[in-house]
Amino acid sequence: MADPAVDRTHHHPAPDGPPAGTGTPTADTEAGASAPRGPSAKARAGRGSALLRRAGRTAAALPAVAVFLYLLAPLAVLALSSLNSTSSLSFPPSGLSLRWYSEVLSSPDWLVSFRLSGVLVLLVVLTTVTIGTLAAYGLVRGDFPGRGVLSGLALAPLMVPEIIIGLGLLYYFQGLGLVNTLPGLWLAHSLVALPFVIRTVMVSAQALDPTLERAAATLGAGRVRTFLTVTLPLLRPGILAGAVFAAVTSLGEVAVSALVSGSNTTTVPVRIFSAVQFQLDPSVAAVSTLLMLVSVLVLVAVDRFTNFSEVL
């Protein structure tokens, strides 16, 4: 039988300390426990770069916004001035009223000018679109001597000041008896608007795939039928864009119209110019606002059903 005293000599008491398996806390563990929890340095750097990119885009957009506001500010001032309740053309208006729109739409003089400008727009658009489309297609797809010279001559009115064109037309039409006549205004406006139609249709003609026309020819279509059924639909964006430019040019033409028109052929822009000189009241702003609204509505309507904005 073992001596209890001997057995007690083999059992040593455990040293004071933490229980087994818990481990002794080290310096790294203590540092990790005391460190604050938050986003890592990489996340902070990514967030900072994103803010810098956003600030850069905002700074780059500011000049464009400033230019846009600068262009729209006169139109906004004009539209608000047309609602002035008093007879003075002032901004800001002292009161809001549709009085001047009513006076313009009931004035015989303004109505005659509206009708004349509307007829001119229709005649000019039909003339310039027909001639400009054929000329642009021939200049792009044709191969004949002097094509470069003709291209320069077709676009020459864009390089010459309109007052010079108007003065030349005045001397020319005076000998033909076309001053103060509708045909004279028609020819003058068509001359000024034709380069815009040629330029826009030339852009569409240059992007035209000639294999489509050759495919129609191999299927038995003649030149006229190929042009009407294949070429014209492909040129539609340029034609519509040219028609819009021709209409806007004719509707806003002042310099040439003032020289070749007269008392019986006073267009809306010429009447506006005369009213600003001798009778400055909000009716001028009302007419200008109406013309602006018509132009915007036509542009939106055409762009809604076609992709002519790609040509611009």
Side-chain angles (χ1 to χ4, degrees):
M1 185 173 182
D3 189 0
V6 176
D7 291 340
R8 283 196 298 268
T9 59
H10 293 284
H11 293 279
H12 302 284
D16 296 335
T22 58
T24 304
T26 60
D28 293 339
T29 306
E30 295 177 356
S34 61
R37 296 182 178 181
S40 63
K42 185 176 181 180
R44 289 195 298 269
R47 188 180 303 172
S49 61
L51 291 175
L52 288 177
R53 286 194 300 269
R54 187 179 303 174
R57 288 194 297 266
T58 303
L62 285 178
V65 173
V67 172
F68 188 72
L69 293 177
Y70 177 76
L71 294 175
L72 286 182
L75 303 180
V77 170
L78 184 67
L80 291 176
S81 299
S82 67
L83 300 174
N84 201 337
S85 59
T86 62
S87 60
S88 62
L89 188 61
S90 60
F91 183 83
S94 57
L96 299 181
S97 174
L98 297 176
R99 161 192 173 188
W100 302 105
Y101 289 93
S102 176
E103 290 193 8
V104 166
L105 296 177
S106 61
S107 172
D109 294 335
W110 282 112
L111 292 179
V112 169
S113 296
F114 279 128
R115 285 194 293 267
L116 176 61
S117 294
V119 171
L120 273 177
V121 167
L122 293 177
L123 293 175
V124 169
V125 168
L126 292 175
T127 304
T128 55
V129 165
T130 303
I131 299 176
T133 300
L134 297 176
Y137 183 75
L139 291 174
V140 172
R141 304 300 297 274
D143 187 11
F144 52 88
R147 186 178 64 171
V149 177
L150 289 178
S151 298
L153 290 176
L155 301 178
L158 294 176
M159 307 299 175
V160 181
E162 290 186 2
I163 188 65
I164 297 178
I165 296 176
L167 188 60
L169 290 175
L170 174 62
Y171 283 102
Y172 185 61
F173 286 171
Q174 199 167 15
L176 298 176
L178 294 176
V179 177
N180 193 18
T181 62
L182 178 60
L185 283 173
W186 176 20
L187 294 175
H189 285 205
S190 298
L191 176 64
V192 175
L194 183 61
F196 295 98
V197 180
I198 294 178
R199 185 71 188 93
T200 54
V201 178
M202 284 179 67
V203 174
S204 295
Q206 289 170 353
L208 183 63
D209 188 1
T211 58
L212 299 176
E213 295 176 316
R214 288 197 294 267
T218 57
L219 294 175
R223 291 187 176 181
V224 176
R225 186 175 180 182
T226 300
F227 183 79
L228 294 177
T229 59
V230 177
T231 305
L232 276 183
L234 295 175
L235 296 178
R236 185 177 60 178
I239 294 174
L240 290 177
V244 171
F245 280 130
V248 173
T249 301
S250 175
L251 195 59
E253 179 57 49
V254 177
V256 174
S257 300
L259 292 175
V260 300
S261 65
S263 58
N264 298 327
T265 54
T266 304
T267 61
V268 173
V270 174
R271 189 170 294 279
I272 290 175
F273 184 73
S274 301
V276 169
Q277 288 182 314
F278 305 107
Q279 186 183 352
L280 187 59
D281 56 37
S283 63
V284 178
V287 174
S288 302
T289 304
L290 290 175
L291 294 181
M292 180 175 60
L293 290 177
V294 170
S295 301
V296 172
L297 290 177
V298 171
L299 187 63
V300 171
V302 174
D303 191 41
R304 172 66 178 80
F305 298 102
T306 64
N307 58 344
F308 88 99
S309 57
E310 296 178 0
V311 185
L312 305 182

